[in-house]
């Protein structure tokens, strides 16, 4: 957001927000949750993953 604002003023900030929105929508579709109403706890993964190996 700040990069867009610094680089292109209000138009740059808008472009960054538009890109973030498009990426969120693409990710939701790929996850099988094409609308916000379809998001629920089943769409979330625990962090850190329980199967993660210690470093």
């Amino acid at each position: 957001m700040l990069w867009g604002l610094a680089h292109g003023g209000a138009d740059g900030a808008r472009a960054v927000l538009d890109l973030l929105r498009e990426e969120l929508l693409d990710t939701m579709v790929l996850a099988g949750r094409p609308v916000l109403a379809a998001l629920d706890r089943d769409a979330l993964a625990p962090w850190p993953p329980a199967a993660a190996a210690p470093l």
Side-chain angles (χ1 to χ4, degrees):
M1 179 69 172
L2 289 178
W3 179 86
L5 185 60
H7 183 70
D11 290 336
R14 163 97 37 213
V16 170
L17 290 175
D18 289 343
L19 178 62
L20 288 172
R21 183 178 187 274
E22 289 175 25
E23 290 182 358
L24 174 61
L25 292 174
D26 288 346
T27 301
M28 288 173 57
V29 168
L30 290 171
R33 313 292 175 129
V35 294
L36 286 176
L39 291 176
D40 57 17
R41 288 189 165 274
D42 293 335
L44 302 176
W47 191 258
L55 297 176

